Amino acid sequence: HKVDMKSLKLYQFYHSKPFAWLRTGVIFILHILAFFEFPSSLSWTSDIRRQDERIQLPCGVTEGIELMCLLFLLLDVVLKTRIYGYKSLYLNKWLFVEIVVLCLSFIDWIVSMSVGCGEVVRIRRMIRPVFIIQNSSLMKKILNSLRKTMSQILGVLLLMALHLYVFTLLGMLLFPKPKDNDTIHDINNLGELNDILIPSNSSGNGTKPSESTYFRTLTESFMSLLVLLTTANNPDVTLPAYTRNRLYAIFFILFLTIGLYCFMNMLTAIIYNQFRDYFKNSMQSSLMRRRLGQRAAFEALKYKSMQLNHSSSLQDKTSEDSQREGVSSRDLKVVISRAKIEEEIKVTLIDTIARGFTQDQIMTWINFLSVLKMTEMEKDHKEKPRIRWFTHHPRLVALQKIVCHKGFSYFGNVMALINVILITIELATEYDKSLSSSKSALRIINFLFILYYVVEQSLIVICMGWRRYKYSWSNIYDGSIVLILLLSELVTVALYGFPFFSQREIHGNFTLWNIVRVINILIMFRLLRIIWHIQAMAIVAHTLLDLVKNLQSFGGILIVIYYSYAMLGMEIFQNKITYPTKLGNESLAVCGTYEQLEYWANNFDDFAAAVVVLWDVMVVNNWFVFLDAYAKYTTKWSYVYFIIWWLMSVVIVLNLFTALILENFIMKWDKFYDHSRSEGRRR
Amino acid sequence: HKVDMKSLKLYQFYHSKPFAWLRTGVIFILHILAFFEFPSSLSWTSDIRRQDERIQLPCGVTEGIELMCLLFLLLDVVLKTRIYGYKSLYLNKWLFVEIVVLCLSFIDWIVSMSVGCGEVVRIRRMIRPVFIIQNSSLMKKILNSLRKTMSQILGVLLLMALHLYVFTLLGMLLFPKPKDNDTIHDINNLGELNDILIPSNSSGNGTKPSESTYFRTLTESFMSLLVLLTTANNPDVTLPAYTRNRLYAIFFILFLTIGLYCFMNMLTAIIYNQFRDYFKNSMQSSLMRRRLGQRAAFEALKYKSMQLNHSSSLQDKTSEDSQREGVSSRDLKVVISRAKIEEEIKVTLIDTIARGFTQDQIMTWINFLSVLKMTEMEKDHKEKPRIRWFTHHPRLVALQKIVCHKGFSYFGNVMALINVILITIELATEYDKSLSSSKSALRIINFLFILYYVVEQSLIVICMGWRRYKYSWSNIYDGSIVLILLLSELVTVALYGFPFFSQREIHGNFTLWNIVRVINILIMFRLLRIIWHIQAMAIVAHTLLDLVKNLQSFGGILIVIYYSYAMLGMEIFQNKITYPTKLGNESLAVCGTYEQLEYWANNFDDFAAAVVVLWDVMVVNNWFVFLDAYAKYTTKWSYVYFIIWWLMSVVIVLNLFTALILENFIMKWDKFYDHSRSEGRRR
């Protein structure tokens, strides 16, 4: 990119933190709009029986915000092309895509406004997530990796398709009995048995499909096996054949073993294999870039200091010091003190230099690197604030010792555990009374425990001092929960009196019911602190928390896919399912249908509902209910939408997630065990 | 172990191939007995409505065979203790277990015979699989690895249990509405909405449980979430709450994300991490042992040849050759020609020696190793038989060239594909006529194609010659399928005439129907040969086939677990579910129950059925139907049986399988790509 002064300033501005935050914020607002745009998700339920409750924003509100966001993004693109030059348009594919998307969005927006928000297809919503991808380099990398591994994935998918195809035809050839039984005269032993074995009482209420519905036609057979591959109709689809002849179970077991357990795991293996390298490479290359930058800084400083030496101190040319390749530590200090980095890091850096080197010592590249490595150290090595002992009160010191002892913390955990167990017992035995009466055993228990918690926390604050208290996250977590607990309990006491001797017993009050629930839930969250005290759990929880940090880019991809596909689903299936006003018993009587299961709330009528449907399909269980329902209310082509989503979500995204977890977890785990082993050796 | 002559002979006999085969055979027979013992699996169906069809072997038949097997295994144990000495009893844990199992089996057998095969509990069946484990060192290793990783698995399981517990209580506190709605006067906005939102038409046929049945009591709430963790009741359990307020979806999504996607993948990661090292270690140690043996052989030979040199040729002490550390190649040849190895390997070994060394040259350890490494080479490098060209018939040579060209093979694939596509079309359009008429388009098509296949195969045999033909497995596969096709077609033609001009059209004949089905199935299997011609598929299929070889020990563990647990299930649940003779509509009307879904064939009444039920539970979909049914017909404690099976099969076995596939696949894949890359470089 250009390197003149103006461009550099622009570059600095563009890559400054506030601007990046602003950009992220704008993209966030643009995407969150989906919940408020026309079929807004602002209703308590997505149940189609209650669709009229929806809050609708007047036309132009969301569109106005959208326009502002789009204009900002346009500015962003213009800046980018100014900085990187117009040539980058041809080279940077993603930037080009972003510009196309922006143009399309503006055109679509104008169309939308000109017809008064009443248009049918809104493409701009579907292509919005391009901005998310464009804003994150890590996501682009993941997508690139996915693209590279696509040929291998396609190999497995092809084989899976062949597997499915062969078994579809096999199923059609194996299972159905000849339809016209009466014309068969030459019945052999097997046939005879079959006829006897199927009693006619399956006609009870006609809910049970015979195997002819599973394997009679090509589409049915294929869909049965595709759904079986996701295990969603497992024992049901096997039953008609299995009831006839138990050997048919082998067919299904073979099908699932190859399809589900082999091919699916192979897909995981392929994606994992790809991303194992990806993580390694991306980390190596980021380290590489950092080193490169550091080396460049070193060379620049060296050059500068050599120039300085030449100009200012020409007299001592004989001293070879300046000729030795290196940087004066004084120069480095000056540069560091001027740099835009956190104050804390600055202090440590200058300290390190002062400790290791004299004022004018020349630093070699190795020295230079060792100093800069200090910035890479983890920050959590900062000092623990000391406890200030109340030395002039011997009794208080004893109390302090008790409170600061490990045992006190364990005791607190045991108390929290006992509290939760008591809640469990109360809920299990006296469910209704516990929650809706102002004078229940549960309320008394919780009152006493909350009293204890308050005392415990204040003791800790007093004994340890505020600085030491707020040093630990777990204390802050505990403290804030106890604070809310105290407030809620005060409110209940104020409203309904003490639980022991309330004059009037209030029963079934809704506010009381809610507050009691909140108190119980908070107490349960307080229990979670015991995780950190049980080692086996602590390791797992720790790695899990670390995972969350590393999975941001994956989360981004998840959002992108969900967003676009939910929008597409809304365009296709919106308002397609309607609640029949006169619902006869006949459609409710067929078990396992959308209507009988009352899936009315799962539809594509607004964005939030569409996301939940896609989630349900990703979880895969009972997804054929949606398949069947949408095939019934629209056409059979709706299968394609759901199958593609299944392929995308289950085959790609979930395997990607598994791969990321495997990679991250194994890395952390190894590091943890290496660390603990080396610590054990040190002791 | 002992090293005197007798013990060594015994050792050699014990580790000889025939004896190992015999032992494996006996163990196999002992285990296969399960299908024939008292509630024998010899019936066409396990449907409880037709239980009387079961073939029962008279008392004493299976018991006699069992006794013989047990006696053989006793002999085996006695031999083992003789060889390894009695001390090994204390040292070898598995041997000790085997002896205990043998004793228990004999006692149980005697009890069984004394009460005339009518006893209730038969422990010996459950503990039988110990013999399988004892017979395979690899399985013992896997079990050991599992035991080592158990603490980490327990960590995750503990966290998962806590997760489940917290969400159970949260669910109980969040979801149910207060029961006594009428006593609530202070209804707030949310409550008001709730009451309106749930229309009372769900009482249609009373099949839909409200949220109170999912989250009202502790057991229900826990079981709902446990089943949700396996996704088996996914959208259903969420619906009552989700229909009320769409924000409740967050609860379920959070629950599944943490429980299913994080914890389950972490379990995979832990097991994979353990077994990644395991495979590496086990392969290294087996290579180590091989090298150790080779070194020992080398040292022994050197010692011997030095002795020989000293005794026979004392005259040329001055020659330093014999002092050089090494083995004379002549000695090695003699040893090789006497050794008990395959003739083919012998020839290659002696050839290598003859080629590389003169008659009496002394071989160093490096030379020795390079010769022995020839035995490790893969055998498929054996020479391809040449095609014998019919040089005196120029036309035949042209034909030979055509047949041997790659294109001919591709053409054959295309024909097979066309045939299958035509079958698909015929089945899709004229299903019933195709299968049950003697004069259908399908029969004509298949007749013509089979004619083509016969011609194709005979051309290949003639042109390539028999030796070259049988060299390739794919030819044998093709050839045998075509042979069976030809025979079946001949039978149909003999019975029902040619499909074109049969005088009488036979319709709906059962034999015809079966033969037509067989022909079509065979044609489809023939299609599978195209896999090897599409590279992307060929790699995957190749690794899959290689997997099968490597998964033997895993298969053994699967059999052990299934066997024991199915036997346990039979002891507990046998004949517990009975078909109600007067089945009212009321029990059939409740959707999603065992009775309505007609799962009658899935029960624990015989071994084969029990295995299928366990398979269904492992696949997890709809497993709560079994849970509910057995809780209803027996007690709620039956939950324990199924939950433990779920933990064992899904959490341990399936993750183990995933780990093995990941490990194997990544290894093979890397090797393949390295290989293809190096080949690409060589060209």
Short mmCIF file of all heavy atoms in Angstrom, two decimals, chain A residues 586-629:
data_model
loop_
_atom_site.label_atom_id
_atom_site.label_comp_id
_atom_site.label_asym_id
_atom_site.label_seq_id
_atom_site.Cartn_x
_atom_site.Cartn_y
_atom_site.Cartn_z
N GLU A 586 -59.22 -36.05 12.36
CA GLU A 586 -58.48 -36.97 11.49
C GLU A 586 -57.02 -36.54 11.31
O GLU A 586 -56.13 -37.37 11.25
CB GLU A 586 -59.18 -37.13 10.14
CG GLU A 586 -59.15 -35.94 9.22
CD GLU A 586 -60.19 -34.89 9.61
OE1 GLU A 586 -60.96 -35.12 10.58
OE2 GLU A 586 -60.25 -33.86 8.95
N SER A 587 -56.76 -35.23 11.26
CA SER A 587 -55.37 -34.82 11.07
C SER A 587 -54.60 -34.83 12.39
O SER A 587 -53.40 -34.98 12.42
CB SER A 587 -55.31 -33.44 10.43
OG SER A 587 -55.72 -32.47 11.36
N LEU A 588 -55.32 -34.65 13.49
CA LEU A 588 -54.65 -34.71 14.79
C LEU A 588 -54.38 -36.15 15.19
O LEU A 588 -53.51 -36.42 16.01
CB LEU A 588 -55.54 -34.06 15.86
CG LEU A 588 -55.37 -32.56 16.02
CD1 LEU A 588 -56.36 -32.04 17.03
CD2 LEU A 588 -53.96 -32.22 16.45
N ALA A 589 -55.11 -37.09 14.59
CA ALA A 589 -55.03 -38.47 15.04
C ALA A 589 -53.77 -39.17 14.54
O ALA A 589 -53.33 -40.14 15.13
CB ALA A 589 -56.26 -39.24 14.60
N VAL A 590 -53.21 -38.68 13.44
CA VAL A 590 -52.02 -39.36 12.90
C VAL A 590 -50.82 -38.99 13.75
O VAL A 590 -50.41 -37.84 13.79
CB VAL A 590 -51.78 -38.96 11.43
CG1 VAL A 590 -50.58 -39.71 10.89
CG2 VAL A 590 -53.01 -39.27 10.61
N CYS A 591 -50.28 -39.99 14.43
CA CYS A 591 -49.20 -39.73 15.35
C CYS A 591 -47.94 -39.31 14.60
O CYS A 591 -47.69 -39.79 13.49
CB CYS A 591 -48.88 -40.97 16.17
SG CYS A 591 -50.05 -41.23 17.48
N GLY A 592 -47.15 -38.45 15.24
CA GLY A 592 -45.86 -38.10 14.69
C GLY A 592 -45.90 -37.07 13.59
O GLY A 592 -44.92 -36.85 12.91
N THR A 593 -47.05 -36.42 13.39
CA THR A 593 -47.09 -35.36 12.39
C THR A 593 -46.91 -34.01 13.08
O THR A 593 -47.04 -33.89 14.30
CB THR A 593 -48.43 -35.34 11.64
OG1 THR A 593 -49.47 -35.16 12.61
CG2 THR A 593 -48.64 -36.63 10.89
N TYR A 594 -46.65 -33.02 12.27
CA TYR A 594 -46.49 -31.65 12.75
C TYR A 594 -47.70 -31.21 13.56
O TYR A 594 -47.59 -30.61 14.62
CB TYR A 594 -46.30 -30.76 11.52
CG TYR A 594 -45.93 -29.33 11.78
CD1 TYR A 594 -44.60 -28.96 11.87
CD2 TYR A 594 -46.90 -28.34 11.87
CE1 TYR A 594 -44.24 -27.64 12.07
CE2 TYR A 594 -46.55 -27.02 12.07
CZ TYR A 594 -45.22 -26.67 12.17
OH TYR A 594 -44.88 -25.36 12.37
N GLU A 595 -48.89 -31.56 13.05
CA GLU A 595 -50.11 -31.11 13.70
C GLU A 595 -50.31 -31.82 15.03
O GLU A 595 -50.61 -31.19 16.04
CB GLU A 595 -51.32 -31.37 12.80
CG GLU A 595 -51.36 -30.51 11.56
CD GLU A 595 -50.57 -31.13 10.42
OE1 GLU A 595 -50.00 -32.23 10.62
OE2 GLU A 595 -50.50 -30.52 9.34
N GLN A 596 -50.11 -33.15 15.04
CA GLN A 596 -50.35 -33.89 16.27
C GLN A 596 -49.34 -33.50 17.35
O GLN A 596 -49.68 -33.37 18.52
CB GLN A 596 -50.27 -35.40 15.99
CG GLN A 596 -50.53 -36.27 17.21
CD GLN A 596 -49.26 -36.63 17.93
OE1 GLN A 596 -48.22 -36.86 17.34
NE2 GLN A 596 -49.34 -36.67 19.25
N LEU A 597 -48.09 -33.29 16.94
CA LEU A 597 -47.06 -32.91 17.91
C LEU A 597 -47.16 -31.45 18.31
O LEU A 597 -46.45 -30.98 19.19
CB LEU A 597 -45.67 -33.19 17.32
CG LEU A 597 -45.34 -34.66 17.13
CD1 LEU A 597 -44.09 -34.81 16.27
CD2 LEU A 597 -45.09 -35.34 18.47
N GLU A 598 -48.06 -30.72 17.61
CA GLU A 598 -48.27 -29.30 17.90
C GLU A 598 -46.99 -28.49 17.82
O GLU A 598 -46.61 -27.77 18.74
CB GLU A 598 -48.93 -29.13 19.27
CG GLU A 598 -50.29 -29.76 19.29
CD GLU A 598 -51.14 -29.29 20.45
OE1 GLU A 598 -50.55 -28.89 21.45
OE2 GLU A 598 -52.36 -29.35 20.33
N TYR A 599 -46.33 -28.62 16.69
CA TYR A 599 -45.10 -27.87 16.45
C TYR A 599 -45.40 -26.46 15.93
O TYR A 599 -44.54 -25.86 15.31
CB TYR A 599 -44.24 -28.60 15.41
CG TYR A 599 -43.42 -29.75 15.95
CD1 TYR A 599 -43.62 -30.21 17.25
CD2 TYR A 599 -42.43 -30.35 15.18
CE1 TYR A 599 -42.86 -31.26 17.74
CE2 TYR A 599 -41.68 -31.39 15.67
CZ TYR A 599 -41.90 -31.84 16.95
OH TYR A 599 -41.15 -32.88 17.43
N TRP A 600 -46.60 -25.97 16.19
CA TRP A 600 -47.02 -24.70 15.57
C TRP A 600 -46.03 -23.58 15.78
O TRP A 600 -45.94 -22.66 14.96
CB TRP A 600 -48.38 -24.30 16.12
CG TRP A 600 -49.44 -25.34 15.96
CD1 TRP A 600 -50.06 -26.04 16.95
CD2 TRP A 600 -50.01 -25.81 14.74
NE1 TRP A 600 -50.97 -26.92 16.43
CE2 TRP A 600 -50.97 -26.80 15.07
CE3 TRP A 600 -49.81 -25.50 13.39
CZ2 TRP A 600 -51.71 -27.48 14.11
CZ3 TRP A 600 -50.56 -26.18 12.45
CH2 TRP A 600 -51.48 -27.16 12.80
N ALA A 601 -45.31 -23.63 16.89
CA ALA A 601 -44.40 -22.50 17.16
C ALA A 601 -43.14 -22.58 16.33
O ALA A 601 -42.39 -21.62 16.24
CB ALA A 601 -44.05 -22.47 18.64
N ASN A 602 -42.89 -23.74 15.72
CA ASN A 602 -41.70 -23.88 14.90
C ASN A 602 -42.03 -23.60 13.44
O ASN A 602 -42.51 -24.46 12.72
CB ASN A 602 -41.13 -25.30 15.02
CG ASN A 602 -40.48 -25.54 16.35
OD1 ASN A 602 -39.85 -24.63 16.89
ND2 ASN A 602 -40.61 -26.72 16.88
N ASN A 603 -41.77 -22.39 13.01
CA ASN A 603 -42.07 -22.03 11.63
C ASN A 603 -41.11 -20.96 11.16
O ASN A 603 -40.22 -20.55 11.90
CB ASN A 603 -43.51 -21.55 11.52
CG ASN A 603 -43.80 -20.47 12.52
OD1 ASN A 603 -43.03 -19.52 12.65
ND2 ASN A 603 -44.89 -20.60 13.25
N PHE A 604 -41.31 -20.52 9.93
CA PHE A 604 -40.40 -19.53 9.35
C PHE A 604 -41.06 -18.15 9.28
O PHE A 604 -40.71 -17.36 8.43
CB PHE A 604 -39.96 -19.97 7.95
CG PHE A 604 -38.96 -21.08 7.96
CD1 PHE A 604 -39.36 -22.39 7.86
CD2 PHE A 604 -37.62 -20.80 8.09
CE1 PHE A 604 -38.43 -23.42 7.87
CE2 PHE A 604 -36.68 -21.82 8.10
CZ PHE A 604 -37.10 -23.13 7.99
N ASP A 605 -41.99 -17.88 10.18
CA ASP A 605 -42.76 -16.64 10.05
C ASP A 605 -41.99 -15.41 10.53
O ASP A 605 -42.32 -14.30 10.14
CB ASP A 605 -44.08 -16.76 10.79
CG ASP A 605 -45.00 -17.73 10.07
OD1 ASP A 605 -44.57 -18.26 9.02
OD2 ASP A 605 -46.12 -17.98 10.54
N ASP A 606 -41.04 -15.59 11.41
CA ASP A 606 -40.16 -14.45 11.70
C ASP A 606 -38.75 -14.96 11.92
O ASP A 606 -38.52 -16.17 12.00
CB ASP A 606 -40.67 -13.63 12.88
CG ASP A 606 -40.83 -14.44 14.13
OD1 ASP A 606 -39.87 -15.11 14.52
OD2 ASP A 606 -41.94 -14.44 14.71
N PHE A 607 -37.82 -14.02 12.05
CA PHE A 607 -36.41 -14.40 12.05
C PHE A 607 -36.06 -15.30 13.24
O PHE A 607 -35.42 -16.34 13.08
CB PHE A 607 -35.54 -13.14 12.05
CG PHE A 607 -34.08 -13.42 12.00
CD1 PHE A 607 -33.50 -13.94 10.86
CD2 PHE A 607 -33.27 -13.18 13.10
CE1 PHE A 607 -32.15 -14.21 10.81
CE2 PHE A 607 -31.91 -13.45 13.05
CZ PHE A 607 -31.36 -13.96 11.90
N ALA A 608 -36.49 -14.91 14.43
CA ALA A 608 -36.13 -15.68 15.61
C ALA A 608 -36.69 -17.10 15.51
O ALA A 608 -36.00 -18.08 15.84
CB ALA A 608 -36.66 -14.99 16.86
N ALA A 609 -37.91 -17.22 15.04
CA ALA A 609 -38.51 -18.54 14.90
C ALA A 609 -37.74 -19.37 13.88
O ALA A 609 -37.50 -20.57 14.08
CB ALA A 609 -39.96 -18.42 14.50
N ALA A 610 -37.34 -18.73 12.77
CA ALA A 610 -36.61 -19.46 11.73
C ALA A 610 -35.29 -20.00 12.28
O ALA A 610 -34.91 -21.14 12.00
CB ALA A 610 -36.35 -18.54 10.55
N VAL A 611 -34.62 -19.18 13.09
CA VAL A 611 -33.35 -19.63 13.67
C VAL A 611 -33.58 -20.85 14.56
O VAL A 611 -32.82 -21.82 14.52
CB VAL A 611 -32.68 -18.49 14.47
CG1 VAL A 611 -31.54 -19.01 15.31
CG2 VAL A 611 -32.19 -17.41 13.53
N VAL A 612 -34.66 -20.81 15.33
CA VAL A 612 -34.94 -21.96 16.21
C VAL A 612 -35.25 -23.20 15.38
O VAL A 612 -34.80 -24.30 15.71
CB VAL A 612 -36.10 -21.63 17.18
CG1 VAL A 612 -36.53 -22.85 17.93
CG2 VAL A 612 -35.66 -20.56 18.15
N VAL A 613 -35.97 -23.04 14.28
CA VAL A 613 -36.25 -24.21 13.43
C VAL A 613 -34.94 -24.78 12.88
O VAL A 613 -34.71 -25.99 12.90
CB VAL A 613 -37.20 -23.85 12.27
CG1 VAL A 613 -37.33 -25.02 11.31
CG2 VAL A 613 -38.55 -23.47 12.80
N LEU A 614 -34.07 -23.89 12.42
CA LEU A 614 -32.80 -24.37 11.88
C LEU A 614 -31.99 -25.08 12.96
O LEU A 614 -31.34 -26.09 12.71
CB LEU A 614 -31.99 -23.21 11.29
CG LEU A 614 -32.56 -22.63 10.00
CD1 LEU A 614 -31.66 -21.53 9.49
CD2 LEU A 614 -32.73 -23.70 8.94
N TRP A 615 -32.05 -24.54 14.16
CA TRP A 615 -31.38 -25.21 15.29
C TRP A 615 -31.94 -26.61 15.47
O TRP A 615 -31.20 -27.58 15.62
CB TRP A 615 -31.53 -24.38 16.57
CG TRP A 615 -31.16 -25.12 17.80
CD1 TRP A 615 -31.99 -25.85 18.60
CD2 TRP A 615 -29.85 -25.26 18.36
NE1 TRP A 615 -31.29 -26.41 19.63
CE2 TRP A 615 -29.97 -26.07 19.51
CE3 TRP A 615 -28.59 -24.77 18.02
CZ2 TRP A 615 -28.88 -26.40 20.31
CZ3 TRP A 615 -27.51 -25.11 18.81
CH2 TRP A 615 -27.66 -25.90 19.94
N ASP A 616 -33.28 -26.71 15.46
CA ASP A 616 -33.90 -28.02 15.66
C ASP A 616 -33.48 -29.00 14.57
O ASP A 616 -33.26 -30.18 14.83
CB ASP A 616 -35.43 -27.89 15.67
CG ASP A 616 -35.92 -27.34 17.00
OD1 ASP A 616 -35.18 -27.47 17.99
OD2 ASP A 616 -37.02 -26.79 17.05
N VAL A 617 -33.38 -28.49 13.34
CA VAL A 617 -32.95 -29.39 12.26
C VAL A 617 -31.49 -29.78 12.45
O VAL A 617 -31.11 -30.92 12.20
CB VAL A 617 -33.17 -28.72 10.88
CG1 VAL A 617 -32.59 -29.59 9.78
CG2 VAL A 617 -34.64 -28.52 10.63
N MET A 618 -30.69 -28.85 12.97
CA MET A 618 -29.28 -29.18 13.19
C MET A 618 -29.14 -30.26 14.26
O MET A 618 -28.31 -31.16 14.15
CB MET A 618 -28.50 -27.94 13.59
CG MET A 618 -27.02 -28.18 13.68
SD MET A 618 -26.07 -26.71 13.97
CE MET A 618 -26.04 -26.66 15.74
N VAL A 619 -29.97 -30.16 15.30
CA VAL A 619 -29.93 -31.18 16.34
C VAL A 619 -30.44 -32.51 15.78
O VAL A 619 -30.19 -33.57 16.34
CB VAL A 619 -30.74 -30.72 17.57
CG1 VAL A 619 -30.87 -31.79 18.60
CG2 VAL A 619 -30.08 -29.51 18.18
N VAL A 620 -31.14 -32.46 14.66
CA VAL A 620 -31.47 -33.58 13.79
C VAL A 620 -32.65 -34.41 14.27
O VAL A 620 -33.39 -34.93 13.46
CB VAL A 620 -30.24 -34.49 13.54
CG1 VAL A 620 -30.61 -35.92 13.34
CG2 VAL A 620 -29.49 -34.01 12.33
N ASN A 621 -32.82 -34.53 15.59
CA ASN A 621 -33.91 -35.38 16.05
C ASN A 621 -35.25 -34.82 15.56
O ASN A 621 -35.52 -33.63 15.66
CB ASN A 621 -33.90 -35.44 17.58
CG ASN A 621 -34.81 -36.53 18.08
OD1 ASN A 621 -34.59 -37.70 17.84
ND2 ASN A 621 -35.88 -36.12 18.73
N ASN A 622 -36.08 -35.72 15.05
CA ASN A 622 -37.43 -35.36 14.56
C ASN A 622 -37.43 -34.34 13.42
O ASN A 622 -38.46 -33.73 13.16
CB ASN A 622 -38.29 -34.82 15.71
CG ASN A 622 -38.98 -35.94 16.44
OD1 ASN A 622 -38.69 -37.11 16.20
ND2 ASN A 622 -39.89 -35.60 17.31
N TRP A 623 -36.31 -34.20 12.74
CA TRP A 623 -36.30 -33.21 11.66
C TRP A 623 -37.21 -33.62 10.51
O TRP A 623 -37.64 -32.78 9.73
CB TRP A 623 -34.89 -32.92 11.17
CG TRP A 623 -34.22 -34.01 10.40
CD1 TRP A 623 -34.00 -35.27 10.83
CD2 TRP A 623 -33.70 -33.93 9.08
NE1 TRP A 623 -33.35 -35.98 9.87
CE2 TRP A 623 -33.15 -35.20 8.78
CE3 TRP A 623 -33.62 -32.94 8.12
CZ2 TRP A 623 -32.56 -35.48 7.56
CZ3 TRP A 623 -33.02 -33.23 6.92
CH2 TRP A 623 -32.49 -34.49 6.63
N PHE A 624 -37.51 -34.91 10.41
CA PHE A 624 -38.40 -35.33 9.32
C PHE A 624 -39.81 -34.80 9.52
O PHE A 624 -40.58 -34.73 8.57
CB PHE A 624 -38.40 -36.86 9.21
CG PHE A 624 -38.83 -37.56 10.45
CD1 PHE A 624 -40.16 -37.87 10.67
CD2 PHE A 624 -37.91 -37.91 11.41
CE1 PHE A 624 -40.55 -38.51 11.82
CE2 PHE A 624 -38.29 -38.55 12.57
CZ PHE A 624 -39.61 -38.85 12.77
N VAL A 625 -40.13 -34.41 10.77
CA VAL A 625 -41.45 -33.81 10.99
C VAL A 625 -41.55 -32.51 10.21
O VAL A 625 -42.56 -32.24 9.56
CB VAL A 625 -41.68 -33.59 12.49
CG1 VAL A 625 -42.97 -32.83 12.72
CG2 VAL A 625 -41.71 -34.90 13.22
N PHE A 626 -40.46 -31.72 10.26
CA PHE A 626 -40.46 -30.47 9.49
C PHE A 626 -40.45 -30.75 7.99
O PHE A 626 -41.16 -30.11 7.22
CB PHE A 626 -39.23 -29.63 9.86
CG PHE A 626 -39.20 -29.22 11.29
CD1 PHE A 626 -38.32 -29.79 12.17
CD2 PHE A 626 -40.08 -28.27 11.76
CE1 PHE A 626 -38.30 -29.43 13.50
CE2 PHE A 626 -40.08 -27.90 13.09
CZ PHE A 626 -39.18 -28.48 13.97
N LEU A 627 -39.63 -31.74 7.61
CA LEU A 627 -39.57 -32.14 6.20
C LEU A 627 -40.97 -32.45 5.69
O LEU A 627 -41.42 -31.91 4.68
CB LEU A 627 -38.72 -33.40 6.07
CG LEU A 627 -37.22 -33.27 5.90
CD1 LEU A 627 -36.58 -34.63 5.87
CD2 LEU A 627 -36.93 -32.54 4.61
N ASP A 628 -41.66 -33.32 6.44
CA ASP A 628 -42.98 -33.76 5.98
C ASP A 628 -43.96 -32.60 5.97
O ASP A 628 -44.74 -32.45 5.01
CB ASP A 628 -43.50 -34.88 6.88
CG ASP A 628 -42.71 -36.16 6.70
OD1 ASP A 628 -41.98 -36.24 5.70
OD2 ASP A 628 -42.82 -37.06 7.55
N ALA A 629 -43.90 -31.79 7.03
CA ALA A 629 -44.87 -30.70 7.13
C ALA A 629 -44.70 -29.73 5.97
O ALA A 629 -45.68 -29.38 5.30
CB ALA A 629 -44.70 -29.97 8.46
#
